[in-house]
Amino acid sequence: MKRSELREQVFQLLFRVEFNTPEEMREQEDLFIETNDKEMSDADVTFVKERYERIAAKLPEIDKQLNEVTTGWDTGRIGKVELAILRLAVYEIKFDESIPTGVAINEAVELSKKFGQDGASSFVNGVLAKFA
C-alpha cells in the first residue's frame, strides 16, 4: 500500500477509540484487520497496528496539545471524525520526524475532505496550522 493508504487505515482504526474502551481496542485491532476490505500485506498490517499503538500511547499528550490550540473547542466538542484526523496529524507533526509537517497537514486535510463533514477540511487545516 502507498503511504497515504496506510495513513487512511490508521485513521480508521484510530476512529474506533471513541467507541471502545482501551481493553476492547486490542480485539478491535484484530477485527479491523480481519474485516478490512483493502488487501493488506503482513508489512502493511504491522505498520498500521504499530502506528496506531504509538498514537494511542500518546493520546493524553496529543489531546492536551489540541486543547491548548483550539480556542472555544476542546477534544470533547470536536467531531469524532475530525478528532481522529487531528490526533493522527498531531502525532505525525510532533512525534514522527520522518514526515514533514506540510505533508502531515495536507494528508489530514485530504482525509477530512473524504470522511469529514462540510467545512471539516477548513477546520482541520486551521487547527493544524497552529502546529506548523
Side-chain angles (χ1 to χ4, degrees):
M1 285 186 148
K2 294 190 300 186
R3 188 80 173 218
S4 59
E5 292 172 317
L6 289 169
R7 182 180 282 107
E8 184 175 316
Q9 297 303 305
V10 174
F11 153 72
Q12 290 179 6
L13 184 55
L14 190 58
F15 178 72
R16 294 179 180 213
V17 166
E18 291 301 308
F19 306 99
N20 296 280
T21 65
E23 296 78 27
E24 294 170 330
M25 281 308 296
R26 282 282 183 214
E27 184 178 331
Q28 286 296 317
E29 284 180 58
D30 294 334
L31 184 62
F32 176 77
I33 300 303
E34 291 169 16
T35 61
N36 199 314
D37 59 346
K38 298 276 186 183
E39 185 74 27
M40 295 200 321
S41 69
D42 290 342
D44 293 342
V45 169
T46 300
F47 177 88
V48 169
K49 283 185 167 188
E50 286 178 356
R51 175 58 59 109
Y52 159 73
E53 289 169 6
R54 285 194 299 267
I55 295 169
K58 298 229 179 252
L59 281 182
E61 189 175 345
I62 291 169
D63 286 355
K64 181 177 183 275
Q65 291 181 23
L66 282 168
N67 287 330
E68 289 171 356
V69 301
T70 52
T71 308
W73 292 85
D74 64 25
T75 53
R77 264 189 87 203
I78 297 172
K80 305 298 186 218
V81 169
E82 291 79 15
L83 181 58
I85 293 168
L86 288 168
R87 285 171 166 169
L88 174 57
V90 170
Y91 174 83
E92 291 180 342
I93 292 167
K94 293 294 189 177
F95 304 105
D96 188 342
E97 295 178 9
S98 71
I99 299 174
T101 298
V103 171
I105 292 172
N106 184 58
E107 290 288 331
V109 168
E110 292 304 314
L111 282 172
S112 63
K113 287 178 182 176
K114 184 172 182 177
F115 294 101
Q117 300 176 8
D118 290 340
S121 60
S122 296
F123 175 75
V124 166
N125 190 48
V127 171
L128 295 177
K130 295 177 182 179
F131 287 94

